[in-house]
Amino acid sequence: MVGLLFGGPGMEHPISCLSAVTVFSQLDRQRYRVLAMGWHRQGGFHVSENIQDLIDKPGDPKHGGVRRHGPIRELSDLGLNAIFPIVHGTAGEDGVLQGYLDLLGIPYAGSGVLGSSLCMHKGLSKAILKEAGIPVTDWVTFRQGDRLPTTLPFQGQPCFVKPASSGSSVGVTKVLRVEELPKALETAFRECPEVLVEPAINARELECAVLDGEASGIGEIICHHDFYSYEAKYVDPKVADTLTHP
């Protein structure tokens, strides 16, 4: 039996629910018995073989979420052969969930604890890439309590202010003028106690998935907004287009 785990305590909870509905509909029922497992925002796992039992407003990218359904269950008691985790962001992609499943001895899809935690933290992942000789944009890091800048870094050019550990562009602001910097830092600090500031660059945005050493085709994001924000990704389908290159 495969458990499809979604929801969680992070800001990306509604997107996790959207993703889970899509994955649930695509899993081959001739090969797998699938159990939907919703992680409520306030804690606790609820399960059903019908994912619609577990989600309020399943198509809403801002307000959808896991609903209470029956008793809270322990994952170790469900007889799972493996878990397909679809928990986005905090506690789902940062190694926390992976460590919990390792302790339970339940196999799962995706990266392990170390890979998840390093990739989720933008500053650490950039430092590792730079050390390996892979080009990355410059960046500076600020922590809560630091003396914050009063001028724009990088010779005053436009920059991005972002939480060090979050996904889906949550808490990210593009800053054009120094007057916008304090609010941008405040927004990012609401999501994470560590913040990155990076120069804005004009570049194509390409994405590529790799599974078992095999690369997919390349997707190119054509964004009709200042940047590929949360709204562009999930709320307004007219804000961005995705092109596929073989």
Side-chain angles (χ1 to χ4, degrees):
M1 181 163 60
V2 175
L4 185 67
L5 180 57
F6 60 95
M11 288 291 294
E12 297 168 73
H13 183 107
I15 303 307
S16 173
C17 294
L18 283 175
S19 299
V21 170
T22 299
V23 174
F24 189 84
S25 69
Q26 296 300 314
L27 287 171
D28 186 352
R29 297 310 195 279
Q30 299 300 314
R31 299 180 61 189
Y32 308 111
R33 180 186 172 195
V34 181
L35 186 65
M37 305 185 303
W39 185 355
H40 196 273
R41 289 180 188 271
Q42 276 74 52
F45 301 106
H46 297 267
V47 305
S48 176
E49 293 193 24
N50 180 3
I51 196 170
Q52 299 298 332
D53 291 339
L54 303 179
I55 303 178
D56 282 323
K57 302 178 181 178
D60 190 329
K62 287 193 172 182
H63 305 105
V66 173
R67 69 160 69 102
R68 299 290 188 191
H69 178 78
I72 292 175
R73 305 293 298 273
E74 296 290 340
L75 300 186
S76 57
D77 296 337
L78 299 176
L80 300 168
N81 300 106
I83 284 180
F84 199 145
I86 313 293
V87 180
H88 291 234
T90 303
E93 296 179 279
D94 56 7
V96 173
L97 176 60
Q98 290 74 15
Y100 178 56
L101 296 179
D102 282 344
L103 288 173
L104 294 180
I106 303 175
Y108 53 88
S111 301
V113 174
L114 182 60
S116 298
S117 59
L118 289 177
C119 288
M120 187 69 177
H121 192 289
K122 299 176 181 66
L124 291 176
S125 60
K126 287 167 73 78
I128 291 170
L129 292 171
K130 185 176 182 179
E131 180 66 22
I134 299 172
V136 296
T137 57
D138 291 331
W139 78 98
V140 291
T141 301
F142 298 98
R143 295 173 178 84
Q144 286 181 335
D146 286 351
R147 183 176 181 180
L148 300 179
T150 56
T151 60
L152 288 181
F154 315 113
Q155 290 75 52
Q157 71 183 86
C159 60
F160 282 100
V161 178
K162 58 182 68 174
S165 293
S166 73
S168 296
S169 299
V170 173
V172 176
T173 305
K174 186 175 183 179
V175 173
L176 302 179
R177 298 180 299 275
V178 66
E179 294 82 8
E180 301 168 347
L181 189 57
K183 184 177 180 181
L185 288 165
E186 179 184 343
T187 298
F189 275 128
R190 282 201 295 266
E191 306 300 328
C192 183
E194 190 171 341
V195 167
L196 268 68
V197 181
E198 301 171 317
I201 59 174
N202 292 318
R204 297 169 70 188
E205 184 162 353
L206 306 174
E207 57 185 11
C208 179
V210 178
L211 179 63
D212 288 336
E214 297 291 329
S216 70
I218 297 173
E220 180 171 6
I221 308 299
I222 308 296
C223 189
H224 312 299
H225 201 255
D226 282 344
F227 69 100
Y228 200 32
S229 64
Y230 185 96
E231 285 71 21
K233 292 175 179 177
Y234 305 118
V235 178
D236 186 353
K238 298 178 181 179
V239 171
D241 299 313
T242 303
L243 306 179
T244 302
H245 303 286

